[in-house]
Amino acid sequence: MSEIGYIKIADVTLRDTPARDSCFKVVYSDAEMHEYGDMSELARREMIHRHMTNEMTSVDMAAAAVAEFPDAPWELRLELARQTWDEARHVRALYRRLLELGGHKGEFPISTLEWNVTCAVDNLPGRIAIQNRTLEAGAMDIMGGLSQSLRSVGDDATADTLDAINTDEVHHVRFSNRWIKRLAQSDPRVLMKVAGAIRFLQQANSKFQIKEGGEVNAIGKALDSPENRIPAVNVEDRKLAEFSDEEINEILRQAGYRSLVASESAP
Ligand SMILES: [Fe+2]
Ligand SMILES: [Fe+2]
């Protein structure tokens, strides 16, 4: 296996981009993506394509965690190996739905930034803090909201796919919450590593995310500012993933106290 090196983009040192089929165009900022932001068929295909290719980076990240940290506790490595399998199924499920909607792989630009950032971190607690506890927990919020929006326009098939994926994501987030606590109990420096990783993620996000509201993306859509792009919090799934009440309150505060409530947005 050849070593995957590092690259510098916008002054941030990131892990080099993983191999992708030649049909895919890899981009590095939100503004270069083709997010439509409505529920048209084109927008739904792009959303599915985007989630499918994010799941591909999830496969790569979990697999790299198994391969690059051979001395990690066996039970944690087993969780990561199972996660790799789950993520591969997520890719296939979304690909199937993309084809059903007349889409194809490579139809839209893709990002591998979740990998580039996560795998630049040199320790396992930091990696699962970024990938599982932050990015996948955030994805639970986004997918929960999207599922409700999809049902409101009658696309139950895509909503069912996202809901099924979210049940696996709950476990990925939960095992990272459990393992970070467990590792920190035996070595308090683990918390420093986790804090350092999250700082690095915030620094990278500030370079690649839309900075101000109104910035126009590659298909001419004006995007909301980062504060206004924070999704409503999926409190139910976050509880299942074993975030504490205190942590959920803090996440709610950051989201302007908007939470996913079935009676609010479900049809
Ligand atoms: Fe996934
Ligand atoms: Fe996951």
Side-chain angles (χ1 to χ4, degrees):
M1 192 178 74
S2 60
E3 283 285 311
I4 303 169
Y6 294 82
I7 46 170
K8 212 163 190 169
I9 304 176
D11 274 343
V12 188
T13 300
L14 300 171
R15 198 68 180 271
D16 205 353
T17 300
R20 288 291 178 261
D21 288 356
S22 58
C23 63
F24 288 115
K25 182 188 176 200
V26 179
V27 299
Y28 293 94
S29 69
D30 285 346
E32 295 168 281
M33 296 290 285
H34 286 193
E35 196 179 321
Y36 291 85
D38 58 42
M39 282 287 138
S40 65
E41 192 162 313
L42 180 63
R44 282 182 285 135
R45 280 212 310 275
E46 193 279 330
M47 179 274 288
I48 293 167
H49 190 275
R50 184 157 26 91
H51 282 285
M52 175 186 80
T53 50
N54 277 339
E55 296 284 1
M56 285 163 58
T57 65
S58 298
V59 175
D60 291 336
M61 290 187 279
V66 176
E68 295 178 357
F69 300 98
D71 299 329
W74 174 251
E75 299 90 334
L76 174 53
R77 299 189 75 211
L78 199 58
E79 291 279 22
L80 291 160
R82 286 191 182 124
Q83 182 184 356
T84 310
W85 183 44
D86 289 345
E87 308 296 12
R89 282 188 292 104
H90 299 169
V91 176
R92 292 179 73 91
L94 289 164
Y95 185 44
R96 202 163 47 233
R97 189 64 196 134
L98 179 69
L99 294 177
E100 283 169 4
L101 289 174
H104 59 270
K105 62 178 194 175
E107 189 175 4
F108 307 98
I110 67 165
S111 166
T112 59
L113 263 179
E114 293 192 355
W115 155 282
N116 299 107
V117 173
T118 305
C119 292
V121 170
D122 67 0
N123 63 84
L124 188 53
R127 288 218 194 161
I128 62 174
I130 296 180
Q131 180 185 357
N132 299 44
R133 194 176 190 278
T134 307
L135 299 176
E136 296 202 355
M140 290 189 322
D141 296 340
I142 294 170
M143 307 255 269
L146 271 175
S147 167
Q148 292 182 351
S149 305
L150 286 160
R151 285 193 200 285
S152 72
V153 297
D155 189 350
D156 287 325
T158 306
D160 289 345
T161 305
L162 297 191
D163 288 348
I165 289 173
N166 247 7
T167 58
D168 286 339
E169 302 302 351
V170 165
H171 182 67
H172 303 162
V173 179
R174 181 169 51 212
F175 87 67
S176 71
N177 273 332
R178 287 181 181 170
W179 271 100
I180 288 168
K181 269 190 209 131
R182 191 163 157 185
L183 295 170
Q185 271 163 7
S186 54
D187 178 7
R189 281 173 303 183
V190 162
L191 292 177
M192 297 298 292
K193 289 178 181 172
V194 167
I198 298 303
R199 237 188 346 265
F200 175 63
L201 173 66
Q202 287 165 342
Q203 180 203 354
N205 273 346
S206 72
K207 299 275 183 179
F208 302 109
Q209 278 181 342
I210 295 286
K211 288 170 191 63
E212 285 174 33
E215 203 175 328
V216 173
N217 73 5
I219 45 121
K221 179 180 172 8
L223 295 169
D224 288 333
S225 59
E227 316 85 79
N228 291 320
R229 287 167 67 83
I230 298 174
V233 182
N234 189 339
V235 172
E236 195 182 334
D237 282 352
R238 282 184 178 265
K239 279 188 176 159
L240 288 172
E242 298 181 2
F243 282 95
S244 68
D245 288 346
E246 208 174 37
E247 286 168 334
I248 291 173
N249 278 337
E250 174 55 22
I251 296 157
L252 278 167
R253 190 190 62 75
Q254 289 170 16
Y257 295 99
R258 289 172 308 111
S259 64
L260 287 181
V261 179
S263 58
E264 253 182 20
S265 32

